[in-house]
Amino acid sequence: MANLKLHRVAIGDLEDVELEISPGEIACLSGPSGSGKSRLLRAVADLERHRGTVALGDRRQQDTPAHQWRREIMMIPAESAWWFDTVGEHFAQPMPQALAAVGIPEDAASWPVTRLSSGEKQRLALVRALSFAPRVLLLDEPTANLDRESTAQVEDWLRHYIREQKCPVLWVAHHEDQIARVANRHLRIDGKRLLEDDAETAP
Amino acid sequence: MNVIALSWWQLMMAAGLVIALALCTFLARLGVGRSLLIAAARTAIQLALVGLVLETLFAVGSLHWVALMGLVMLLLAGREVMARQSYRLRGGWSFGIGTLSMFVSAFSVTVLTLVAVIGPEPWYAPQYAIPLLGMLLGNTMTGVALGLERLTESAWRARDEIENRLMLGQTWQQACSGFRRNAMRAGLTPIINSMAAAGIVSLPGMMTGQILAGTAPALAVKYQILIMFTIAAGTGFGTFVAVSIAARRLFDGRERLRLDRLYPAKQ
């Protein structure tokens, strides 16, 4: 199990981001809209040009083939895209337990993607990403389209998974109460800098 | 050969038909009369000029002049490919890719056909080389322009899908394979359609022209088949090269989708 390390990362307005997330740790990231939360995740996933170094353990981003890096350091966007006809074709392996845990019937694998609601899409995108067995999760507002009950289900499932698989996690969250529930650490974007907020952390 | 000479006053009669049509559209307020007349005038002037150039070229017949003519045609075709794109690659890449792919396909297929199939003496004899190259360039240009247009436009529109595929760890080739396939198909569809319909729905223009000019139909047919095959090969290889390079150019060394390398052309 390895730490996710960011050293002097700069993207957009953000400069000199220093961050180290240990296995199983959830670092929540908040900040006003347009402050560059998603872009920081994109930099870690190497989807956008950026400065500085990102590493998982001793392995540096630029020394790993990009597609292999992204398969391990997986970003799950706020709005997912679907390209095959049915949901199941997008999965790397069947995920019956994960589907049950997020409150979606098991036959969802055969659902046509055109009929998915935004809440179903969001939960299925998480299940799809985890079917590839990533080592790091970069979650961009993973419960933005969910009601209270589904949010609780998804939070429980993710926390369980993260603890079990010992993934370092960077989680973009808006709501203070969610941050209080899931975060081991809370980071805030303030202008050009990333600040650590020690006040609230989950038990 | 029993060619019936066409005199200028006979052409004037044909022009009268176009003018009559323009008059009708003007009276019916269809609003296309003006562009119709301009296009007709352009046809007459451009073809007359090309006729002069070809007469001179046929009289001189040296390799240098034929090559120069070929180069000018190639650059004009490259410019035309770029002009037809609604999203262009920055830094002259659209022009470069169009010109390079047409050079690779249309030029090599033309030279191959001249040397290995038709075999005129010398191989660059302008009355064979120039029409063949023109026909190949014209069709390859259409294929390349359609293929590039489809690729860049779908990349622009399907950004979310491509990036989501990348996030799941797909390589850049996997992430754009569907778009590449559609772009290739778009480029090849016109020639496939015209090969499938040739002789049934329409008599191809070149063959018709040859028959009107007095060639035996059997020979005209052979030339037409030759042209169809070479056009298919030229268009196919040209579109393949253009779409492959452009798809590669849409991603950088770290397999990121780089839409900042595209810009929308002003309509």
Side-chain angles (χ1 to χ4, degrees):
Chain A
M1 292 303 123
N3 289 2
L4 179 71
K5 282 175 277 193
L6 278 69
H7 177 56
R8 297 188 64 102
V9 171
I11 184 167
D13 290 339
L14 274 174
E15 280 172 13
D16 276 337
V17 173
E18 296 284 340
L19 184 60
E20 184 157 355
I21 306 174
S22 46
E25 185 177 38
I26 300 177
C28 274
L29 178 62
S30 65
S33 307
S35 60
K37 304 184 290 292
S38 301
R39 283 189 83 183
L40 182 60
L41 296 195
R42 289 169 63 86
V44 177
D46 207 5
L47 283 160
E48 220 171 292
R49 284 202 295 174
H50 57 88
R51 278 174 289 135
T53 51
V54 181
L56 181 63
D58 324 325
R59 235 154 31 97
R60 292 189 306 168
Q61 192 181 55
Q62 64 263 41
D63 301 334
T64 314
H67 59 274
Q68 197 179 321
W69 176 266
R70 287 184 206 119
R71 180 160 289 217
E72 293 178 25
I73 286 74
M74 185 157 304
M75 173 166 174
I76 297 114
E79 298 292 337
S80 58
W82 300 81
W83 42 91
F84 294 119
D85 291 334
T86 62
V87 171
E89 292 170 83
H90 296 80
F91 290 2
Q93 50 182 312
M95 301 287 284
Q97 287 168 341
L99 288 174
V102 296
I104 288 181
E106 211 180 300
D107 68 344
S110 61
W111 289 358
V113 295
T114 44
R115 299 222 195 109
L116 297 178
S117 72
S118 60
E120 284 165 347
K121 265 189 191 166
Q122 185 148 38
R123 284 176 287 170
L124 287 168
L126 289 165
V127 174
R128 169 175 72 179
L130 296 199
S131 77
F132 287 89
R135 297 177 61 191
V136 175
L137 294 182
L138 308 170
L139 304 168
D140 195 354
E141 302 194 38
T143 60
N145 296 314
L146 303 184
D147 59 26
R148 188 190 293 265
E149 189 192 348
S150 304
T151 301
Q153 272 178 326
V154 167
E155 280 176 6
D156 286 346
W157 169 64
L158 279 174
R159 283 166 63 189
H160 182 75
Y161 180 91
I162 291 161
R163 202 179 317 123
E164 205 162 66
Q165 302 295 320
K166 301 197 166 39
C167 305
V169 177
L170 194 52
W171 181 324
V172 172
H174 255 315
H175 295 294
E176 292 296 327
D177 50 335
Q178 178 169 63
I179 295 170
R181 285 194 301 273
V182 302
N184 303 116
R185 283 159 75 188
H186 181 198
L187 308 157
R188 270 187 309 114
I189 293 184
D190 182 22
K192 292 179 175 183
R193 289 172 308 154
L194 189 68
L195 300 177
E196 190 108 11
D197 205 337
D198 295 321
E200 63 258 84
T201 43
Chain B
M1 291 228 295
N2 51 341
V3 184
I4 304 168
L6 208 54
S7 65
W8 285 107
W9 71 266
Q10 286 165 309
L11 280 183
M12 291 302 288
M13 277 172 59
L17 286 175
V18 177
I19 292 171
L21 175 65
L23 209 63
C24 287
T25 58
F26 179 73
L27 289 176
R29 295 175 192 280
L30 295 177
V32 289
R34 199 180 139 82
S35 44
L36 180 74
L37 285 179
I38 292 176
R42 279 188 64 170
T43 295
I45 296 168
Q46 287 168 2
L47 289 183
L49 285 177
V50 163
L52 281 180
V53 172
L54 288 182
E55 295 260 357
T56 321
L57 201 62
F58 286 11
V60 181
S62 80
L63 180 58
H64 294 102
W65 287 105
V66 175
L68 181 69
M69 180 75 183
L71 184 68
V72 170
M73 288 161 72
L74 176 69
L75 292 178
L76 287 176
R79 208 198 69 89
E80 184 68 22
V81 165
M82 191 190 69
R84 291 192 198 172
Q85 304 301 311
S86 24
Y87 298 96
R88 296 177 193 159
L89 287 159
R90 281 180 206 281
W93 277 80
S94 284
F95 177 78
I97 289 173
T99 311
L100 178 76
S101 56
M102 285 186 292
F103 178 73
V104 169
S105 63
F107 263 66
S108 48
V109 170
T110 305
V111 171
L112 195 76
T113 312
L114 284 173
V115 173
V117 186
I118 307 181
E121 199 56 51
W123 66 269
Y124 53 83
Q127 49 271 63
Y128 290 93
I130 296 297
L132 200 58
L133 181 63
M135 195 115 51
L136 270 164
L137 271 181
N139 285 278
T140 309
M141 182 181 81
T142 308
V144 168
L146 287 173
L148 282 181
E149 167 77 5
R150 177 65 66 89
L151 182 77
T152 50
E153 207 213 356
S154 54
W156 187 274
R157 281 182 204 286
R159 174 193 177 139
D160 285 351
E161 180 189 326
I162 296 174
E163 291 210 314
N164 212 158
R165 283 171 175 268
L166 292 176
M167 286 174 201
L168 291 176
Q170 293 193 354
T171 60
W172 70 269
Q173 291 101 327
Q174 291 169 328
C176 71
S177 64
F179 303 99
R180 273 182 67 171
R181 201 171 325 143
N182 286 340
M184 279 296 298
R185 198 174 298 152
L188 279 178
T189 301
I191 179 64
I192 291 176
N193 286 346
S194 64
M195 279 204 291
I200 302 174
V201 184
S202 65
L203 287 183
M206 190 204 90
M207 196 176 99
T208 317
Q210 264 192 313
I211 294 175
L212 284 179
T215 310
L219 185 59
V221 162
K222 277 191 203 155
Y223 267 96
Q224 186 61 48
I225 294 174
L226 177 75
I227 289 292
M228 283 291 195
F229 286 174
T230 50
I231 287 176
T235 310
F237 288 124
T239 310
F240 180 76
V241 171
V243 168
S244 299
I245 302 178
R248 183 72 195 84
R249 182 71 193 151
L250 287 174
F251 296 85
D252 64 13
R254 296 294 299 164
E255 302 182 52
R256 305 174 186 121
L257 179 63
R258 292 292 297 277
L259 288 183
D260 55 313
R261 289 178 178 169
L262 284 180
Y263 67 98
K266 288 177 199 81
Q267 296 294 328

